[in-house]
């Protein structure tokens, strides 16, 4: 009956909220953000002309000029809940984009150079990427590899200058036909996107406090009962430095694609509408169809 269907819907939401609130990493979120972002901030600079770039210094040969570098603020509770509710494994599903980073370059070739820089400088470690959440809907890589091989052969023979080589590669970087695996993502959305995982290292201040307490107590004139209580404080039950891998999302795209993603047919509002409809059908079942 309808009352039973409504009760079932409420329980589904309560179940998801319970799982969301029991994430042991949540209290450390600010420190998690800081450790992840710091790996990137140290490579982001502005030169004397106020040009934003990725690199160690102005004359870094691997420097990549950027239009924008953005970090995502903490995902809201409602947004996280919606993301979980529209997935079949809503209780066990991981949310991978609570922490997000975006690079916007002037041209398509710049997006590839950002990927190369992040890999070469070990800001992103390929073994820590999640293959099922790594996709390229920006550049036709097979075609670019072919052009790159041909252009490098010409360059190695001294038949073109470095500037001519770059011009050839700029022309070779073409948009690829989009085929996103996320059914809620517009077919027009374009980006190099991947989920990385970073080892987070935390310090537990309670460990040092308990150790100091035990050390101080050994030289103090305490009652027998107090001594027994302090001796029962076992440091092996107090993690000294909790460590765990935390996922975060990186998006790299050129300016034209960024503007189309933000303002065009792949606007985020359409993505959210699609998510809401899927979540309603999953949670409410027949009730959603009768609205």
């Amino acid at each position: 009956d309808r009352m039973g269907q409504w009760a079932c819907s409420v329980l589904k939401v309560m179940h998801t909220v319970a799982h969301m609130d029991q994430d042991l990493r949540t209290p450390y979120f600010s420190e998690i953000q800081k450790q992840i972002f710091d790996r990137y901030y140290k490579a982001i600079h502005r030169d004397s002309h106020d040009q934003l770039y990725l690199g160690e210094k102005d004359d870094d040969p691997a420097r990549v000029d950027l239009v924008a570098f953005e970090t995502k603020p903490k995902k809201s509770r409602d947004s996280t809940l919606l993301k979980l509710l529209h997935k079949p494994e809503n209780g066990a599903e991981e949310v991978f984009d609570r922490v997000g980073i975006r690079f916007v370059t002037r041209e398509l070739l710049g997006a590839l150079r950002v990927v190369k820089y992040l890999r070469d400088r070990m800001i992103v470690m390929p073994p820590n990427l999640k293959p099922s959440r790594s996709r390229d809907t920006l550049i036709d890589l097979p075609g670019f590899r072919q052009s790159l091989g041909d252009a490098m052969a010409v360059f190695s023979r001294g038949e073109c200058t470095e500037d001519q080589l770059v011009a050839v590669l700029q022309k070779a970087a073409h948009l690829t036909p989009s085929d996103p695996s996320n059914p809620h993502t517009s077919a027009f959305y374009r980006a190099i996107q991947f989920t990385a995982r970073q080892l987070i290292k935390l310090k537990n201040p309670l460990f040092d406090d308990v150790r100091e307490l035990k050390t101080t107590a050994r030289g103090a004139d305490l009652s027998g009962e107090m001594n027994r209580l302090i001796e029962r404080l076992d440091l092996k039950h107090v993690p000294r430095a909790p460590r765990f891998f935390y996922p975060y999302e990186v998006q790299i795209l050129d300016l034209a694609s960024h503007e189309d993603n933000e303002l065009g047919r792949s606007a985020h509002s359409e993505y959210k509408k699609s998510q809401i409809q899927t979540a309603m059908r999953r949670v409410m079942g027949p009730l959603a169809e009768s609205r």
Side-chain angles (χ1 to χ4, degrees):
D1 61 358
R2 290 180 63 84
M3 186 63 70
Q5 292 171 354
W6 274 109
C8 184
S9 298
V10 172
L11 286 172
K12 287 177 182 177
V13 175
M14 291 173 62
H15 171 79
T16 303
V17 169
H19 277 268
M20 188 173 70
D21 287 348
Q22 300 309 312
D23 187 344
L24 293 174
R25 302 167 299 181
T26 299
Y28 308 117
F29 188 79
S30 295
E31 179 62 23
I32 290 169
Q33 270 189 319
K34 180 180 183 301
Q35 290 190 27
I36 293 174
F37 289 160
D38 280 354
R39 291 177 67 89
Y40 291 84
Y41 284 142
K42 68 181 181 182
I44 300 294
H45 304 284
R46 286 188 182 274
D47 62 20
S48 58
H49 302 290
D50 203 34
Q51 171 62 56
L52 186 70
Y53 69 89
L54 175 67
E56 294 183 354
K57 51 188 178 179
D58 290 9
D59 59 352
D60 185 343
R63 162 179 166 163
V64 186
D65 288 349
L66 302 173
V67 175
F69 171 75
E70 303 170 355
T71 56
K72 179 191 290 187
K74 182 178 180 180
K75 201 176 188 70
S76 71
R77 181 180 174 83
D78 288 349
S79 183
T80 301
L81 180 59
L82 174 61
K83 189 145 195 170
L84 290 172
L85 285 174
H86 89 275
K87 295 177 179 291
E89 297 183 8
N90 58 307
E93 183 72 30
E94 179 72 276
V95 176
F96 296 100
D97 61 348
R98 283 192 172 101
V99 179
I101 291 169
R102 178 183 293 152
F103 293 89
V104 182
T105 62
R106 183 69 58 185
E107 298 169 326
L108 287 169
L109 182 59
L112 287 179
R113 294 184 61 219
V114 168
V115 174
K116 185 176 187 305
Y117 187 96
L118 296 179
R119 184 200 63 184
D120 291 350
R121 303 303 170 93
M122 293 187 291
I123 296 173
V124 170
M125 304 292 288
N128 288 337
L129 298 183
K130 188 172 177 63
S132 63
R133 289 187 54 85
S134 300
R135 56 185 178 269
D136 166 32
T137 56
L138 188 67
I139 297 175
D140 176 14
L141 284 179
F144 181 82
R145 287 194 187 99
Q146 179 63 47
S147 298
L148 175 62
D150 295 342
M152 289 302 297
V154 173
F155 181 72
S156 64
R157 295 195 298 267
E159 297 176 6
C160 74
T161 65
E162 184 173 335
D163 287 343
Q164 289 172 327
L165 172 65
V166 172
V168 170
L169 296 181
Q170 292 281 17
K171 188 176 180 179
H174 296 294
L175 289 172
T176 185
S178 181
D179 182 24
S181 57
N182 187 337
H184 305 287
T185 300
S186 166
F188 301 99
Y189 182 85
R190 296 188 181 281
I192 296 172
Q193 187 168 310
F194 54 84
T195 293
R197 288 169 291 192
Q198 180 168 322
L199 180 62
I200 303 299
K201 303 174 183 179
L202 302 174
K203 183 177 180 180
N204 185 358
L206 186 61
F207 180 90
D208 291 334
D209 291 342
V210 172
R211 183 172 59 180
E212 183 179 352
L213 176 63
K214 289 175 69 68
T215 301
T216 303
R218 291 191 183 100
D221 184 16
L222 301 176
S223 67
E225 181 64 22
M226 183 64 70
N227 271 322
R228 281 194 296 273
L229 288 173
I230 291 176
E231 284 303 316
R232 284 169 54 188
L233 294 174
D234 194 336
L235 286 173
K236 72 179 181 181
H237 298 305
V238 183
R240 182 171 189 173
R243 296 187 175 194
F244 51 84
F245 283 94
Y246 197 89
Y248 66 96
E249 187 174 87
V250 177
Q251 295 179 352
I252 307 169
L253 62 166
D254 68 304
L255 179 59
S257 299
H258 175 61
E259 291 176 342
D260 184 60
N261 291 347
E262 293 296 312
L263 304 174
R265 293 169 290 185
S266 53
H268 191 63
S269 58
E270 295 301 317
Y271 177 91
K272 281 294 184 184
K273 288 178 184 177
S274 178
Q275 271 194 334
I276 291 171
Q277 292 301 316
T278 300
M280 286 180 61
R281 288 192 295 269
R282 280 208 64 259
V283 173
M284 300 180 69
L287 293 173
E289 303 300 330
S290 61
R291 291 178 69 250

